[in-house]
Amino acid sequence: MDFERYAYNAGTVTHLLGLLGVLALSCSAVFFRLAHVSPTTAAVFRAAYAIPLLVVLQALVRHAERPRSLGQRTGRTRALAALSGVLLALDLVLWHAGIDMVGAGLATVAASVQVVLVAGAGWIRHGERPTPFALAVIAAMLFGIVLTSGVSVVPGVDDTTAYGASPGLGVSVSVLAGVCYAGFLIVFREAARHGSHPIGDLLDATIGMGLGALACAPLDAGFAYRPTWPAHG
């Protein structure tokens, strides 16, 4: 009975932590907008701030659990996790650029195309066929991306009501960010299939993300390697 109560409490805490994580991530686009930093700067420092925390968490997990419970992590698994991080870096750089072009809301909606790609990959690779309801939601979402972008799909009608100086480019960049994010999810899932602890996979992915973002720095004229206040607050 005590074990069942413990399992229930642990599950509740896990769900609450997951909900808090979702709420925090939902604000990240707004925080980037308020920081007034370049797309690559934001991506690099998101990794830089996360890596030390993940190292500490990995050490705590190793101390609290048996080494065997952490699973076997091969070179291939770690390489896949790092590769997924590079894709995440591309996603963040492009998404941040899209936010600068069309705003946090529209860029986030356009990047939601990753839902379609991940669902398709799950269907093809793992036989996870979407339900009719899920297909209807995906179709409505794609139509919503077009509507909320403000880009006209009617010949002869301009897009003067669209938000931003370059709405078409902003939406395109954001959609490409969604493609990269879908790649991140697909590759990271492949890396995590071998029973290893998620902390290690996430750490490798975050390191890959930091390196991938740094590789984009020469292409970003506004990149700043030095933290400033209040942008990093």
Side-chain angles (χ1 to χ4, degrees):
M1 193 68 180
D2 290 339
F3 175 77
E4 293 178 356
R5 183 181 301 174
Y6 171 79
Y8 174 79
N9 291 336
T12 302
V13 171
T14 300
H15 287 122
L16 287 176
L17 290 175
L19 179 60
L20 289 175
V22 169
L23 291 174
L25 287 173
S26 67
C27 300
S28 62
V30 177
F31 288 150
F32 166 73
R33 190 75 167 175
L34 295 174
H36 300 293
V37 296
S38 75
T40 307
T41 301
V44 168
F45 279 98
R46 287 179 75 158
Y49 290 139
I51 288 173
L53 295 176
L54 290 172
V55 170
V56 172
L57 285 175
Q58 186 182 48
L60 291 174
V61 168
R62 287 185 178 277
H63 178 74
E65 301 183 16
R66 298 177 180 176
R68 187 177 301 176
S69 67
L70 298 177
Q72 297 296 325
R73 305 184 64 225
T74 63
R76 178 179 180 275
T77 298
R78 301 193 68 173
L80 283 174
L83 175 60
S84 73
V86 173
L87 292 172
L88 181 59
L90 294 174
D91 159 59
L92 289 175
V93 171
L94 291 170
W95 182 47
H96 293 157
I99 292 173
D100 282 339
M101 294 179 188
V102 295
L106 297 186
T108 302
V109 171
S112 298
V113 70
Q114 55 91 10
V115 174
V116 181
L117 300 176
V118 172
W123 188 356
I124 295 172
R125 183 168 179 78
H126 304 289
E128 300 170 349
R129 184 173 183 176
T131 64
F133 177 76
L135 293 175
V137 170
I138 289 173
M141 184 201 68
L142 291 175
F143 186 59
I145 290 175
V146 176
L147 292 179
T148 57
S149 69
V151 179
S152 176
V153 294
V154 180
V157 178
D158 60 21
D159 59 354
T160 55
T161 59
Y163 179 84
S166 303
L169 180 60
V171 171
S172 299
V173 167
S174 301
V175 169
L176 185 57
V179 173
C180 292
Y181 188 67
F184 157 69
L185 292 176
I186 294 168
V187 177
F188 186 79
R189 178 180 179 179
E190 186 68 23
R193 288 181 60 197
H194 303 282
S196 59
H197 198 282
I199 290 293
D201 295 329
L202 190 57
L203 176 58
D204 289 337
T206 306
I207 293 173
M209 167 189 155
L211 294 176
L214 278 174
C216 297
L219 304 177
D220 186 347
F223 177 73
Y225 64 89
R226 183 177 299 174
T228 57
W229 183 267
H232 289 253

